Amino acid sequence: MLALRLTRGAKPAVQLRRLLVAMAAAGTGFLLLCTLGYAISHPDDPRGSLLRLAWCLTPLAATVYFAVAVARTDPGTRPRPGLAAIGLGPTRLMAVSAATTALSCTLGSMLALLFFLHLRGDLTGMPFDGAAAEFLAADASLPLPAALTLLGLVPVIASVAVALVHRPKDTRTAVTRRAARSYGRFGAYERTGTKETFGAYGRFGSRLRRGSDGTGQARSGEAPPAQESRTDEPDPHNLPETPREAPKDLPWGIAVLAAGLAVEAYAAEASATPLTFPGGPTPVLLGWLLTAVGLTLAGPGLTHLCGRLLQAVRPGALRLLAGRVLMEEATRIGRPLGVVCAVASATYAMAELRHPGSDAFGPLTVLGALLVTGCTVATLLTAAVEAKHARADTTAALLRLGAPATMLRSAAALRAGAVLVLFVPLTLFVAELAAMPLAR
């Protein structure tokens, strides 16, 4: 009931994102049901059915990724001061976020089931003159347990992924955790770093005792320590600072990307026929998955590199601000950028491999491509909104200091241009390398 109330009382923008999650779940559920229909109508082709089911994993992963991004930006399940007093601690908020995601995905799955039954003619007459009867198994009874199992994949996997992302994390350092686990003298937790003799506890008032508030008293017979003089320091105003460390996944991403391209080349050598969907060889799918993982891992490092290049060669205030913000948001923006780059390169490669007049790309293929592309682009836009909300304090501080609003817009446009200059040629390069061995 709490998840339903939070879902109903959200803002229109949040409701729109949840509706998009429901639509993505509906598209994925419909593809899974079409795979089931093909398996029922073609019992003598189990390899083709399994391959179609394997190709459905890509829309499923894109939908779950989008659902996690939407749940991460949901203001209704964001930890705020005072919520623990009314029973909404981190664990409860995690459960509410997972329940909200499961509710949206379940709604989409039910819509997919209704549309699938309508196309089969179970609710009304057979539409489109029975053109889709081959993929829907209209002449056979639909096994309801199998259909419900396939439709339950998206809500279950998405809710589990959201719960893992929003699980309560221990923010203490390793030294603090070791100190908390260790017992001090007389059973006290968190031992201090300085060692004291047992006789020091017998001399009451002879040592500096500090309470939990950080105050203390001077030793008896000694003058209190003089306070250090402090010079006037400017208020930092939450200005963007230079990130200390760059993302470390760039070498691994390049290595996995090279492995994916090598697997695709091996698949082209092993198959004498050109790539078709979904009858292509399994190594092609494995190669594309490795390529996507490599681009996803390399995305934060490449975004951080864009920020560094913006600040190179005597930067002004505009380039300095744009570069530092881009470096700060490298992890949050870089991974969705890498996923979009992977999807765009795969789409471009498939378009280049299509032969004129062939029917390799049917309506289900187009639906899957639109679903994956839409989910990845929506995830990138959601991550951009999350980054904007994360630096709201910095933006407000810059405006208080007198920075014009046009400067902030120019910095945003400069960041977008720098990212496009790097990622668009990279996408075309990876697409050409992926399509080159398969086009022979």
Side-chain angles (χ1 to χ4, degrees), residues 117-152:
L117 294 178
H118 172 68
L119 291 181
R120 278 173 50 92
D122 295 338
L123 302 180
T124 58
M126 177 69 70
F128 306 115
D129 298 331
E134 179 182 0
F135 297 98
L136 305 180
D139 54 346
S141 61
L142 182 66
L144 188 59
L148 294 180
T149 300
L150 291 177
L151 289 177

PDB file of all heavy atoms in Angstrom, residues 117-152:
ATOM      1  N   LEU A 117      -2.900 -12.015 -26.868  1.00  0.00           N
ATOM      2  CA  LEU A 117      -4.148 -12.766 -26.993  1.00  0.00           C
ATOM      3  C   LEU A 117      -5.066 -12.153 -28.041  1.00  0.00           C
ATOM      4  O   LEU A 117      -5.795 -12.872 -28.738  1.00  0.00           O
ATOM      5  CB  LEU A 117      -4.861 -12.829 -25.641  1.00  0.00           C
ATOM      6  CG  LEU A 117      -4.142 -13.622 -24.542  1.00  0.00           C
ATOM      7  CD1 LEU A 117      -4.941 -13.552 -23.243  1.00  0.00           C
ATOM      8  CD2 LEU A 117      -3.932 -15.075 -24.964  1.00  0.00           C
ATOM      9  N   HIS A 118      -5.021 -10.826 -28.173  1.00  0.00           N
ATOM     10  CA  HIS A 118      -5.827 -10.177 -29.207  1.00  0.00           C
ATOM     11  C   HIS A 118      -5.343 -10.551 -30.602  1.00  0.00           C
ATOM     12  O   HIS A 118      -6.156 -10.808 -31.513  1.00  0.00           O
ATOM     13  CB  HIS A 118      -5.780  -8.658 -29.012  1.00  0.00           C
ATOM     14  CG  HIS A 118      -6.406  -7.891 -30.129  1.00  0.00           C
ATOM     15  ND1 HIS A 118      -7.769  -7.920 -30.396  1.00  0.00           N
ATOM     16  CD2 HIS A 118      -5.861  -7.074 -31.079  1.00  0.00           C
ATOM     17  CE1 HIS A 118      -8.037  -7.163 -31.447  1.00  0.00           C
ATOM     18  NE2 HIS A 118      -6.889  -6.633 -31.874  1.00  0.00           N
ATOM     19  N   LEU A 119      -4.022 -10.584 -30.798  1.00  0.00           N
ATOM     20  CA  LEU A 119      -3.495 -10.958 -32.110  1.00  0.00           C
ATOM     21  C   LEU A 119      -3.754 -12.430 -32.421  1.00  0.00           C
ATOM     22  O   LEU A 119      -3.892 -12.803 -33.598  1.00  0.00           O
ATOM     23  CB  LEU A 119      -1.990 -10.669 -32.171  1.00  0.00           C
ATOM     24  CG  LEU A 119      -1.576  -9.196 -32.159  1.00  0.00           C
ATOM     25  CD1 LEU A 119      -0.064  -9.078 -32.241  1.00  0.00           C
ATOM     26  CD2 LEU A 119      -2.226  -8.433 -33.306  1.00  0.00           C
ATOM     27  N   ARG A 120      -3.813 -13.270 -31.409  1.00  0.00           N
ATOM     28  CA  ARG A 120      -4.116 -14.681 -31.617  1.00  0.00           C
ATOM     29  C   ARG A 120      -5.589 -14.923 -31.935  1.00  0.00           C
ATOM     30  O   ARG A 120      -5.959 -15.989 -32.414  1.00  0.00           O
ATOM     31  CB  ARG A 120      -3.751 -15.480 -30.364  1.00  0.00           C
ATOM     32  CG  ARG A 120      -2.290 -15.847 -30.259  1.00  0.00           C
ATOM     33  CD  ARG A 120      -2.004 -16.484 -28.919  1.00  0.00           C
ATOM     34  NE  ARG A 120      -2.947 -17.558 -28.621  1.00  0.00           N
ATOM     35  CZ  ARG A 120      -2.751 -18.847 -28.918  1.00  0.00           C
ATOM     36  NH1 ARG A 120      -1.652 -19.204 -29.565  1.00  0.00           N
ATOM     37  NH2 ARG A 120      -3.648 -19.763 -28.585  1.00  0.00           N
ATOM     38  N   GLY A 121      -6.433 -13.957 -31.629  1.00  0.00           N
ATOM     39  CA  GLY A 121      -7.858 -14.131 -31.838  1.00  0.00           C
ATOM     40  C   GLY A 121      -8.588 -14.758 -30.673  1.00  0.00           C
ATOM     41  O   GLY A 121      -9.741 -15.183 -30.824  1.00  0.00           O
ATOM     42  N   ASP A 122      -7.922 -14.831 -29.496  1.00  0.00           N
ATOM     43  CA  ASP A 122      -8.573 -15.427 -28.337  1.00  0.00           C
ATOM     44  C   ASP A 122      -9.602 -14.495 -27.711  1.00  0.00           C
ATOM     45  O   ASP A 122     -10.543 -14.962 -27.071  1.00  0.00           O
ATOM     46  CB  ASP A 122      -7.526 -15.805 -27.286  1.00  0.00           C
ATOM     47  CG  ASP A 122      -6.596 -16.903 -27.795  1.00  0.00           C
ATOM     48  OD1 ASP A 122      -7.007 -17.631 -28.727  1.00  0.00           O
ATOM     49  OD2 ASP A 122      -5.470 -17.018 -27.282  1.00  0.00           O
ATOM     50  N   LEU A 123      -9.412 -13.187 -27.860  1.00  0.00           N
ATOM     51  CA  LEU A 123     -10.356 -12.232 -27.283  1.00  0.00           C
ATOM     52  C   LEU A 123     -11.422 -11.821 -28.282  1.00  0.00           C
ATOM     53  O   LEU A 123     -12.607 -11.773 -27.947  1.00  0.00           O
ATOM     54  CB  LEU A 123      -9.598 -10.983 -26.787  1.00  0.00           C
ATOM     55  CG  LEU A 123      -8.509 -11.248 -25.736  1.00  0.00           C
ATOM     56  CD1 LEU A 123      -7.840  -9.947 -25.340  1.00  0.00           C
ATOM     57  CD2 LEU A 123      -9.094 -11.947 -24.522  1.00  0.00           C
ATOM     58  N   THR A 124     -11.011 -11.503 -29.493  1.00  0.00           N
ATOM     59  CA  THR A 124     -11.936 -11.151 -30.581  1.00  0.00           C
ATOM     60  C   THR A 124     -11.577 -12.001 -31.785  1.00  0.00           C
ATOM     61  O   THR A 124     -10.951 -13.049 -31.651  1.00  0.00           O
ATOM     62  CB  THR A 124     -11.841  -9.657 -30.894  1.00  0.00           C
ATOM     63  OG1 THR A 124     -10.488  -9.326 -31.243  1.00  0.00           O
ATOM     64  CG2 THR A 124     -12.263  -8.799 -29.682  1.00  0.00           C
ATOM     65  N   GLY A 125     -11.918 -11.540 -32.947  1.00  0.00           N
ATOM     66  CA  GLY A 125     -11.543 -12.270 -34.154  1.00  0.00           C
ATOM     67  C   GLY A 125     -10.072 -12.109 -34.477  1.00  0.00           C
ATOM     68  O   GLY A 125      -9.350 -11.298 -33.884  1.00  0.00           O
ATOM     69  N   MET A 126      -9.583 -12.926 -35.419  1.00  0.00           N
ATOM     70  CA  MET A 126      -8.184 -12.863 -35.827  1.00  0.00           C
ATOM     71  C   MET A 126      -7.936 -11.581 -36.614  1.00  0.00           C
ATOM     72  O   MET A 126      -8.505 -11.381 -37.687  1.00  0.00           O
ATOM     73  CB  MET A 126      -7.843 -14.072 -36.698  1.00  0.00           C
ATOM     74  CG  MET A 126      -6.425 -14.050 -37.228  1.00  0.00           C
ATOM     75  SD  MET A 126      -5.179 -14.280 -35.947  1.00  0.00           S
ATOM     76  CE  MET A 126      -5.452 -15.994 -35.525  1.00  0.00           C
ATOM     77  N   PRO A 127      -7.098 -10.650 -36.120  1.00  0.00           N
ATOM     78  CA  PRO A 127      -6.832  -9.407 -36.853  1.00  0.00           C
ATOM     79  C   PRO A 127      -5.807  -9.613 -37.955  1.00  0.00           C
ATOM     80  O   PRO A 127      -5.102 -10.636 -37.997  1.00  0.00           O
ATOM     81  CB  PRO A 127      -6.305  -8.478 -35.755  1.00  0.00           C
ATOM     82  CG  PRO A 127      -5.653  -9.405 -34.781  1.00  0.00           C
ATOM     83  CD  PRO A 127      -6.436 -10.688 -34.823  1.00  0.00           C
ATOM     84  N   PHE A 128      -5.716  -8.643 -38.820  1.00  0.00           N
ATOM     85  CA  PHE A 128      -4.742  -8.616 -39.924  1.00  0.00           C
ATOM     86  C   PHE A 128      -4.837  -9.854 -40.809  1.00  0.00           C
ATOM     87  O   PHE A 128      -3.836 -10.313 -41.382  1.00  0.00           O
ATOM     88  CB  PHE A 128      -3.310  -8.475 -39.392  1.00  0.00           C
ATOM     89  CG  PHE A 128      -3.113  -7.306 -38.474  1.00  0.00           C
ATOM     90  CD1 PHE A 128      -2.796  -7.510 -37.136  1.00  0.00           C
ATOM     91  CD2 PHE A 128      -3.258  -6.007 -38.931  1.00  0.00           C
ATOM     92  CE1 PHE A 128      -2.621  -6.453 -36.276  1.00  0.00           C
ATOM     93  CE2 PHE A 128      -3.089  -4.939 -38.066  1.00  0.00           C
ATOM     94  CZ  PHE A 128      -2.773  -5.157 -36.745  1.00  0.00           C
ATOM     95  N   ASP A 129      -6.031 -10.425 -40.913  1.00  0.00           N
ATOM     96  CA  ASP A 129      -6.283 -11.580 -41.785  1.00  0.00           C
ATOM     97  C   ASP A 129      -5.367 -12.762 -41.475  1.00  0.00           C
ATOM     98  O   ASP A 129      -4.992 -13.535 -42.354  1.00  0.00           O
ATOM     99  CB  ASP A 129      -6.127 -11.188 -43.266  1.00  0.00           C
ATOM    100  CG  ASP A 129      -7.136 -10.127 -43.674  1.00  0.00           C
ATOM    101  OD1 ASP A 129      -8.228 -10.110 -43.073  1.00  0.00           O
ATOM    102  OD2 ASP A 129      -6.814  -9.311 -44.557  1.00  0.00           O
ATOM    103  N   GLY A 130      -4.965 -12.894 -40.201  1.00  0.00           N
ATOM    104  CA  GLY A 130      -4.144 -14.035 -39.794  1.00  0.00           C
ATOM    105  C   GLY A 130      -2.712 -13.970 -40.274  1.00  0.00           C
ATOM    106  O   GLY A 130      -2.070 -15.013 -40.418  1.00  0.00           O
ATOM    107  N   ALA A 131      -2.178 -12.753 -40.533  1.00  0.00           N
ATOM    108  CA  ALA A 131      -0.808 -12.644 -41.039  1.00  0.00           C
ATOM    109  C   ALA A 131       0.224 -13.049 -39.997  1.00  0.00           C
ATOM    110  O   ALA A 131       1.323 -13.483 -40.345  1.00  0.00           O
ATOM    111  CB  ALA A 131      -0.540 -11.210 -41.503  1.00  0.00           C
ATOM    112  N   ALA A 132      -0.095 -12.896 -38.730  1.00  0.00           N
ATOM    113  CA  ALA A 132       0.857 -13.220 -37.672  1.00  0.00           C
ATOM    114  C   ALA A 132       0.611 -14.581 -37.048  1.00  0.00           C
ATOM    115  O   ALA A 132       1.094 -14.862 -35.957  1.00  0.00           O
ATOM    116  CB  ALA A 132       0.795 -12.146 -36.581  1.00  0.00           C
ATOM    117  N   ALA A 133      -0.150 -15.433 -37.696  1.00  0.00           N
ATOM    118  CA  ALA A 133      -0.492 -16.725 -37.109  1.00  0.00           C
ATOM    119  C   ALA A 133       0.722 -17.629 -36.954  1.00  0.00           C
ATOM    120  O   ALA A 133       0.767 -18.481 -36.061  1.00  0.00           O
ATOM    121  CB  ALA A 133      -1.544 -17.432 -37.972  1.00  0.00           C
ATOM    122  N   GLU A 134       1.750 -17.453 -37.808  1.00  0.00           N
ATOM    123  CA  GLU A 134       2.921 -18.319 -37.743  1.00  0.00           C
ATOM    124  C   GLU A 134       3.691 -18.119 -36.442  1.00  0.00           C
ATOM    125  O   GLU A 134       4.186 -19.063 -35.839  1.00  0.00           O
ATOM    126  CB  GLU A 134       3.834 -18.046 -38.938  1.00  0.00           C
ATOM    127  CG  GLU A 134       5.100 -18.895 -38.952  1.00  0.00           C
ATOM    128  CD  GLU A 134       5.995 -18.545 -40.127  1.00  0.00           C
ATOM    129  OE1 GLU A 134       5.625 -17.645 -40.911  1.00  0.00           O
ATOM    130  OE2 GLU A 134       7.067 -19.157 -40.222  1.00  0.00           O
ATOM    131  N   PHE A 135       3.815 -16.856 -35.989  1.00  0.00           N
ATOM    132  CA  PHE A 135       4.590 -16.569 -34.789  1.00  0.00           C
ATOM    133  C   PHE A 135       3.756 -16.669 -33.510  1.00  0.00           C
ATOM    134  O   PHE A 135       4.321 -16.722 -32.426  1.00  0.00           O
ATOM    135  CB  PHE A 135       5.186 -15.156 -34.876  1.00  0.00           C
ATOM    136  CG  PHE A 135       6.150 -14.989 -36.017  1.00  0.00           C
ATOM    137  CD1 PHE A 135       5.738 -14.414 -37.210  1.00  0.00           C
ATOM    138  CD2 PHE A 135       7.456 -15.409 -35.903  1.00  0.00           C
ATOM    139  CE1 PHE A 135       6.624 -14.257 -38.260  1.00  0.00           C
ATOM    140  CE2 PHE A 135       8.348 -15.261 -36.951  1.00  0.00           C
ATOM    141  CZ  PHE A 135       7.932 -14.693 -38.138  1.00  0.00           C
ATOM    142  N   LEU A 136       2.418 -16.686 -33.648  1.00  0.00           N
ATOM    143  CA  LEU A 136       1.562 -16.664 -32.464  1.00  0.00           C
ATOM    144  C   LEU A 136       0.957 -18.013 -32.139  1.00  0.00           C
ATOM    145  O   LEU A 136       0.314 -18.154 -31.099  1.00  0.00           O
ATOM    146  CB  LEU A 136       0.434 -15.635 -32.662  1.00  0.00           C
ATOM    147  CG  LEU A 136       0.891 -14.212 -33.008  1.00  0.00           C
ATOM    148  CD1 LEU A 136      -0.300 -13.309 -33.182  1.00  0.00           C
ATOM    149  CD2 LEU A 136       1.804 -13.672 -31.929  1.00  0.00           C
ATOM    150  N   ALA A 137       1.133 -19.011 -33.009  1.00  0.00           N
ATOM    151  CA  ALA A 137       0.559 -20.344 -32.798  1.00  0.00           C
ATOM    152  C   ALA A 137      -0.939 -20.242 -32.526  1.00  0.00           C
ATOM    153  O   ALA A 137      -1.450 -20.720 -31.506  1.00  0.00           O
ATOM    154  CB  ALA A 137       1.269 -21.064 -31.659  1.00  0.00           C
ATOM    155  N   ALA A 138      -1.653 -19.596 -33.473  1.00  0.00           N
ATOM    156  CA  ALA A 138      -3.079 -19.354 -33.276  1.00  0.00           C
ATOM    157  C   ALA A 138      -3.901 -20.633 -33.330  1.00  0.00           C
ATOM    158  O   ALA A 138      -5.006 -20.683 -32.778  1.00  0.00           O
ATOM    159  CB  ALA A 138      -3.585 -18.361 -34.334  1.00  0.00           C
ATOM    160  N   ASP A 139      -3.394 -21.679 -34.000  1.00  0.00           N
ATOM    161  CA  ASP A 139      -4.154 -22.910 -34.135  1.00  0.00           C
ATOM    162  C   ASP A 139      -3.906 -23.890 -32.997  1.00  0.00           C
ATOM    163  O   ASP A 139      -4.416 -25.011 -33.008  1.00  0.00           O
ATOM    164  CB  ASP A 139      -3.802 -23.596 -35.458  1.00  0.00           C
ATOM    165  CG  ASP A 139      -2.302 -23.819 -35.608  1.00  0.00           C
ATOM    166  OD1 ASP A 139      -1.532 -23.217 -34.816  1.00  0.00           O
ATOM    167  OD2 ASP A 139      -1.906 -24.584 -36.509  1.00  0.00           O
ATOM    168  N   ALA A 140      -3.120 -23.503 -32.002  1.00  0.00           N
ATOM    169  CA  ALA A 140      -2.815 -24.372 -30.854  1.00  0.00           C
ATOM    170  C   ALA A 140      -3.169 -23.634 -29.567  1.00  0.00           C
ATOM    171  O   ALA A 140      -3.235 -22.404 -29.524  1.00  0.00           O
ATOM    172  CB  ALA A 140      -1.343 -24.779 -30.846  1.00  0.00           C
ATOM    173  N   SER A 141      -3.398 -24.411 -28.535  1.00  0.00           N
ATOM    174  CA  SER A 141      -3.728 -23.817 -27.234  1.00  0.00           C
ATOM    175  C   SER A 141      -2.469 -23.248 -26.590  1.00  0.00           C
ATOM    176  O   SER A 141      -1.385 -23.836 -26.681  1.00  0.00           O
ATOM    177  CB  SER A 141      -4.362 -24.862 -26.321  1.00  0.00           C
ATOM    178  OG  SER A 141      -3.453 -25.936 -26.106  1.00  0.00           O
ATOM    179  N   LEU A 142      -2.607 -22.124 -25.935  1.00  0.00           N
ATOM    180  CA  LEU A 142      -1.465 -21.457 -25.306  1.00  0.00           C
ATOM    181  C   LEU A 142      -1.249 -22.017 -23.904  1.00  0.00           C
ATOM    182  O   LEU A 142      -2.161 -21.973 -23.063  1.00  0.00           O
ATOM    183  CB  LEU A 142      -1.721 -19.950 -25.225  1.00  0.00           C
ATOM    184  CG  LEU A 142      -0.585 -19.101 -24.636  1.00  0.00           C
ATOM    185  CD1 LEU A 142       0.625 -19.135 -25.558  1.00  0.00           C
ATOM    186  CD2 LEU A 142      -1.054 -17.676 -24.427  1.00  0.00           C
ATOM    187  N   PRO A 143      -0.073 -22.549 -23.615  1.00  0.00           N
ATOM    188  CA  PRO A 143       0.198 -23.033 -22.234  1.00  0.00           C
ATOM    189  C   PRO A 143       0.330 -21.848 -21.284  1.00  0.00           C
ATOM    190  O   PRO A 143       1.302 -21.088 -21.347  1.00  0.00           O
ATOM    191  CB  PRO A 143       1.502 -23.815 -22.379  1.00  0.00           C
ATOM    192  CG  PRO A 143       2.153 -23.261 -23.598  1.00  0.00           C
ATOM    193  CD  PRO A 143       1.059 -22.822 -24.522  1.00  0.00           C
ATOM    194  N   LEU A 144      -0.644 -21.721 -20.412  1.00  0.00           N
ATOM    195  CA  LEU A 144      -0.671 -20.564 -19.524  1.00  0.00           C
ATOM    196  C   LEU A 144       0.500 -20.533 -18.539  1.00  0.00           C
ATOM    197  O   LEU A 144       1.064 -19.448 -18.306  1.00  0.00           O
ATOM    198  CB  LEU A 144      -2.004 -20.532 -18.770  1.00  0.00           C
ATOM    199  CG  LEU A 144      -2.284 -19.272 -17.942  1.00  0.00           C
ATOM    200  CD1 LEU A 144      -2.271 -18.035 -18.821  1.00  0.00           C
ATOM    201  CD2 LEU A 144      -3.608 -19.395 -17.206  1.00  0.00           C
ATOM    202  N   PRO A 145       0.933 -21.655 -17.943  1.00  0.00           N
ATOM    203  CA  PRO A 145       2.098 -21.575 -17.035  1.00  0.00           C
ATOM    204  C   PRO A 145       3.365 -21.084 -17.729  1.00  0.00           C
ATOM    205  O   PRO A 145       4.122 -20.294 -17.154  1.00  0.00           O
ATOM    206  CB  PRO A 145       2.248 -23.006 -16.529  1.00  0.00           C
ATOM    207  CG  PRO A 145       0.885 -23.596 -16.649  1.00  0.00           C
ATOM    208  CD  PRO A 145       0.305 -22.992 -17.891  1.00  0.00           C
ATOM    209  N   ALA A 146       3.597 -21.548 -18.956  1.00  0.00           N
ATOM    210  CA  ALA A 146       4.790 -21.095 -19.673  1.00  0.00           C
ATOM    211  C   ALA A 146       4.707 -19.610 -20.003  1.00  0.00           C
ATOM    212  O   ALA A 146       5.694 -18.874 -19.890  1.00  0.00           O
ATOM    213  CB  ALA A 146       4.969 -21.911 -20.948  1.00  0.00           C
ATOM    214  N   ALA A 147       3.510 -19.155 -20.399  1.00  0.00           N
ATOM    215  CA  ALA A 147       3.339 -17.736 -20.720  1.00  0.00           C
ATOM    216  C   ALA A 147       3.538 -16.863 -19.489  1.00  0.00           C
ATOM    217  O   ALA A 147       4.213 -15.824 -19.546  1.00  0.00           O
ATOM    218  CB  ALA A 147       1.948 -17.508 -21.323  1.00  0.00           C
ATOM    219  N   LEU A 148       2.986 -17.267 -18.349  1.00  0.00           N
ATOM    220  CA  LEU A 148       3.154 -16.488 -17.128  1.00  0.00           C
ATOM    221  C   LEU A 148       4.598 -16.509 -16.634  1.00  0.00           C
ATOM    222  O   LEU A 148       5.079 -15.522 -16.064  1.00  0.00           O
ATOM    223  CB  LEU A 148       2.216 -17.013 -16.042  1.00  0.00           C
ATOM    224  CG  LEU A 148       0.718 -16.843 -16.303  1.00  0.00           C
ATOM    225  CD1 LEU A 148      -0.094 -17.412 -15.157  1.00  0.00           C
ATOM    226  CD2 LEU A 148       0.369 -15.371 -16.532  1.00  0.00           C
ATOM    227  N   THR A 149       5.289 -17.621 -16.871  1.00  0.00           N
ATOM    228  CA  THR A 149       6.701 -17.684 -16.481  1.00  0.00           C
ATOM    229  C   THR A 149       7.538 -16.705 -17.288  1.00  0.00           C
ATOM    230  O   THR A 149       8.397 -15.984 -16.738  1.00  0.00           O
ATOM    231  CB  THR A 149       7.236 -19.112 -16.662  1.00  0.00           C
ATOM    232  OG1 THR A 149       6.469 -20.006 -15.842  1.00  0.00           O
ATOM    233  CG2 THR A 149       8.697 -19.189 -16.274  1.00  0.00           C
ATOM    234  N   LEU A 150       7.297 -16.656 -18.587  1.00  0.00           N
ATOM    235  CA  LEU A 150       8.038 -15.713 -19.427  1.00  0.00           C
ATOM    236  C   LEU A 150       7.686 -14.267 -19.085  1.00  0.00           C
ATOM    237  O   LEU A 150       8.557 -13.387 -19.059  1.00  0.00           O
ATOM    238  CB  LEU A 150       7.750 -15.995 -20.897  1.00  0.00           C
ATOM    239  CG  LEU A 150       8.323 -17.299 -21.466  1.00  0.00           C
ATOM    240  CD1 LEU A 150       7.903 -17.476 -22.908  1.00  0.00           C
ATOM    241  CD2 LEU A 150       9.842 -17.319 -21.351  1.00  0.00           C
ATOM    242  N   LEU A 151       6.407 -14.014 -18.817  1.00  0.00           N
ATOM    243  CA  LEU A 151       5.999 -12.649 -18.482  1.00  0.00           C
ATOM    244  C   LEU A 151       6.517 -12.217 -17.111  1.00  0.00           C
ATOM    245  O   LEU A 151       6.667 -11.014 -16.860  1.00  0.00           O
ATOM    246  CB  LEU A 151       4.477 -12.536 -18.500  1.00  0.00           C
ATOM    247  CG  LEU A 151       3.809 -12.604 -19.875  1.00  0.00           C
ATOM    248  CD1 LEU A 151       2.304 -12.561 -19.740  1.00  0.00           C
ATOM    249  CD2 LEU A 151       4.297 -11.460 -20.758  1.00  0.00           C
ATOM    250  N   GLY A 152       6.777 -13.171 -16.234  1.00  0.00           N
ATOM    251  CA  GLY A 152       7.290 -12.824 -14.913  1.00  0.00           C
ATOM    252  C   GLY A 152       8.778 -12.562 -14.870  1.00  0.00           C
ATOM    253  O   GLY A 152       9.294 -12.133 -13.827  1.00  0.00           O
TER     254      GLY A 152
END
